[in-house]
């Protein structure tokens, strides 16, 4: 295992326990078995280290979203949305405890958001990618033309994030992610009023 991997593993362990705001580079370096100077040879600062943890130590949502550009017209829309929701549920469930502390310190949140903007990431990126997929399926006639693709993406990701939030407070483990994803997608595709709310 490389030095960088050992640092990322240590950072992920500590951030899951103490959150991003509570984790220090000194503590992470000590957990990894290195000096802080060694940590800074691989990561420019704590924000850079956190980005590495998000990309490389949390369930992979990015790859699932990146594949959406090849999915229009292939497989079913339902299966694609279940795949996306399953990945989002896993990502948010694992990442929420780490990220929650960012909102307690505005300067850290601003620093994190600025770093994400440089790479085109951030919480809006999944919405944009899923909305683009839904619009492509609309052009193929596989999603109704009157569906608001951006709103549908927000509803799905918002439900996944909310599930992670409520699971963090639950005494019991949450249901398996695929089961929850199928329920969310089924409801999204059916519509709450089933056409009766017009």
């Amino acid at each position: 295992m490389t030095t960088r991997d050992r640092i990322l593993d240590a950072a992920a362990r500590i951030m899951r326990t103490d959150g991003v705001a509570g984790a220090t580079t000194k503590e992470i370096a000590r957990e990894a078995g290195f000096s802080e100077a060694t940590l800074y040879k691989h990561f420019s600062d704590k924000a850079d280290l956190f980005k590495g943890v998000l990309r490389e130590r949390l369930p992979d949502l990015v790859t699932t979203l990146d594949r959406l550009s090849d999915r229009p017209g292939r497989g079913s829309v339902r299966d694609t949305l279940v795949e996306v929701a399953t990945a989002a549920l896993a990502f948010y469930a694992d990442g929420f405890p780490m990220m929650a502390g960012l909102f307690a310190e505005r300067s850290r949140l601003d620093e994190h958001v600025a770093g994400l903007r440089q790479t085109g990431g951030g919480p809006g990126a999944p919405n944009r990618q899923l909305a683009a997929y839904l619009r492509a399926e609309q052009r193929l006639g596989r999603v109704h033309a009157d569906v608001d693709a951006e709103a549908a993406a927000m509803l799905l990701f918002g439900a996944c994030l909310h599930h992670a939030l409520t699971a963090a407070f639950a005494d019991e483990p949450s249901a398996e992610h695929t089961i929850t994803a199928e329920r969310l997608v089924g409801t999204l595709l059916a519509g709450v009023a089933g056409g009766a709310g017009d």
Side-chain angles (χ1 to χ4, degrees), residues 150-166:
E150 285 77 15
M154 283 190 290
L155 286 169
L156 187 59
F157 286 119
C160 292
L161 183 57
H162 184 265
H163 182 75
L165 171 64
T166 56

Side-chain angles (χ1 to χ4, degrees), residues 76-93:
S76 74
V77 172
R78 174 183 288 270
D79 288 348
T80 298
L81 293 179
V82 167
E83 182 183 330
V84 169
T86 300
L89 285 161
F91 178 83
Y92 292 141

Side-chain angles (χ1 to χ4, degrees), residues 157-190:
F157 286 119
C160 292
L161 183 57
H162 184 265
H163 182 75
L165 171 64
T166 56
F169 287 97
D171 291 334
E172 303 174 357
S174 60
E176 198 241 320
H177 295 311
T178 303
I179 294 168
T180 303
E182 287 171 350
R183 291 176 58 214
L184 292 174
V185 169
T187 301
L188 181 67
L189 291 175

